[in-house]
Amino acid sequence: RGPVSSLLEMLFSSERPLLIGFAFQNDLRELGRSPWAEISRHPKGLCDLQQLVGRPQDGLSKLAECTLGAPLCKAEQRSYWHRRPLRAAQRHYAALDAFVLLQVASKL
């Protein structure tokens, strides 16, 4: 057991939401193919904003535009995330994506 396993167990075992995500099933699918597949099989403590707003056809960019007044640039979304180290543009995208999730959640 390593630090990633311990962190995922703590995050995915909470009865109260500890994680905010958007279309979290995509992340869970990727985790299901990882060394942490068993830990992520039945997660608790998730707040999926896509499910919360009930508009599965809309992406995070559209939700950001509706709640914050500006869309989120998703240019890096489809880039190759398995290559390490991540490029600076990918790290920026990931940080902005997480920040926007918090901003949108605070408005809902």
Side-chain angles (χ1 to χ4, degrees):
R1 286 178 50 97
V4 173
S5 295
S6 297
L7 177 63
L8 288 174
E9 283 180 0
M10 187 266 304
L11 291 173
F12 288 160
S13 64
S14 174
E15 295 298 325
R16 295 186 355 220
L18 288 177
L19 300 172
I20 296 173
F22 192 89
F24 214 87
Q25 73 275 3
N26 297 327
D27 299 296
L28 291 174
R29 184 175 51 248
E30 287 298 314
L31 281 169
R33 298 178 190 143
S34 76
W36 306 285
E38 186 59 37
I39 297 168
S40 61
R41 193 169 317 278
H42 301 291
K44 300 180 214 167
L46 304 178
C47 176
D48 190 325
L49 295 184
Q50 187 180 46
Q51 291 179 357
L52 185 68
V53 298
R55 299 184 63 167
Q57 71 278 9
D58 290 344
L60 180 57
S61 181
K62 180 70 172 173
L63 183 58
E65 186 174 12
C66 291
T67 57
L68 305 175
L72 175 63
C73 176
K74 302 298 275 186
E76 289 295 326
Q77 181 180 31
R78 300 278 185 218
S79 64
Y80 188 68
W81 288 87
H82 294 280
R83 182 178 297 132
R84 296 294 187 264
L86 296 176
R87 294 179 294 105
Q90 289 172 308
R91 293 190 309 270
H92 180 263
Y93 167 82
L96 185 61
D97 199 62
F99 177 77
V100 166
L101 277 172
L102 293 174
Q103 298 305 304
V104 168
S106 72
K107 296 282 185 181
L108 296 177

